[in-house]
Amino acid sequence: MRLLIVEDEPNLGQQLRNALEGAGYAVDLATDGEEGLYLGSNEQYDAIILDLGLPEIDGLTVLDRWRKEGKTTPVLVLTARDSWSDKVAGLDAGADDYVAKPFQTEELIARLRALIRRASGNASAELIAGDIRLDTRSGKVTKAGEPVKLTAQEYKLLSYLLHHKGKVVSRTELIEHIYDQDFDRDSNTIEVFVTRIRKKLGADVITTIRGLGYSLEEPADA
């Protein structure tokens, strides 16, 4: 899953980036509204964290422009603790949720997980396909109740396919959603990760749709 943070406080922005990368996300960081607007309009994200008090272009304007462009990416806004008007304005502008500063990082991550799940039609914190389970809270993966160790990139790829179970996901879409903007997008590592996941979880867990991409389906006898 790929996230965008738009935050002008350097320490807070980097702390959030480190925490979210540690939780298994690919993260881009913008430090002003102009850069944030550009990235949110031109890159693919699964969720965005947006501070409202930004230089260059304020957060409400950025959010309003995204929604007018038709961008439906879930947005979590950061507001001042006592400013109820900011919360209302953010929600009215198209935000999906908000967190007031100062906040607990664990709460912010939990809210992001919920936004991403809802956006892909998943209500539970556990993503399930047959006997494979991925717990988005703990980051643990099991097959038939037995723990399976995945690398960080294998986990990101499996998580994205589970969030979009039953759909065909192109290689380009996978690259856009599991790597940050600095990744070499001509890499063939997606195929490598798919092969590794198949070795760990079963050869039929991910189906290759020739010319289109990959699909993770619910087993027919599930």
Side-chain angles (χ1 to χ4, degrees), residues 12-217:
L12 178 56
Q14 194 57 53
Q15 287 171 8
L16 282 174
R17 183 174 197 169
N18 292 341
L20 290 165
E21 287 178 341
Y25 296 98
V27 182
D28 293 335
L29 174 61
T31 57
D32 61 57
E34 186 174 3
E35 181 184 14
L37 175 62
Y38 176 81
L39 289 175
S41 296
N42 294 281
E43 298 288 337
Q44 298 297 317
Y45 296 102
D46 296 287
I48 298 173
I49 302 169
L50 176 67
D51 187 19
L52 295 185
L54 295 169
E56 305 300 335
I57 306 175
D58 68 89
L60 284 176
T61 299
V62 170
L63 179 55
D64 182 62
R65 290 189 186 178
W66 283 335
R67 295 313 189 214
K68 286 179 178 177
E69 290 172 359
K71 298 294 181 181
T72 58
T73 307
V75 174
L76 175 70
V77 297
L78 304 181
T79 71
R81 171 177 285 278
D82 298 321
S83 181
W84 64 265
S85 60
D86 280 351
K87 300 170 187 176
V88 172
L91 293 171
D92 282 345
D96 298 273
D97 200 356
Y98 67 85
V99 172
K101 296 180 181 181
F103 52 82
Q104 294 294 323
T105 304
E106 292 80 3
E107 178 189 0
L108 181 142
I109 293 175
R111 288 179 178 274
L112 280 173
R113 285 197 300 261
L115 287 180
I116 293 170
R117 288 198 308 269
R118 289 199 295 269
S120 58
N122 295 286
S124 172
E126 275 196 326
L127 305 177
I128 303 172
D131 61 356
I132 297 170
R133 291 174 178 261
L134 184 152
D135 191 324
T136 61
R137 297 160 300 187
S138 65
K140 294 180 179 178
V141 176
T142 60
K143 179 176 173 61
E146 296 297 319
V148 178
K149 290 186 177 180
L150 300 179
T151 66
Q153 298 300 349
E154 291 165 4
Y155 176 89
K156 290 176 184 177
L157 191 151
L158 178 65
S159 174
Y160 191 82
L161 289 176
L162 281 168
H163 273 93
H164 299 83
K165 184 171 61 177
K167 300 177 181 178
V168 178
V169 180
S170 70
R171 178 177 172 276
T172 299
E173 183 177 345
L174 283 170
I175 290 173
E176 288 177 339
H177 285 268
I178 70 174
Y179 294 112
D180 61 38
Q181 66 184 122
D182 296 326
F183 179 74
D184 176 8
R185 300 192 176 191
D186 292 328
S187 171
N188 291 316
T189 53
I190 294 297
E191 287 82 356
V192 174
F193 295 142
V194 168
T195 299
R196 290 180 183 174
I197 291 171
R198 286 171 173 158
K199 287 181 178 178
K200 295 178 180 181
L201 296 177
D204 58 349
V205 65
I206 298 174
T207 301
T208 300
I209 312 299
R210 189 172 298 277
L212 296 176
Y214 302 97
S215 180
L216 193 153
E217 304 281 349

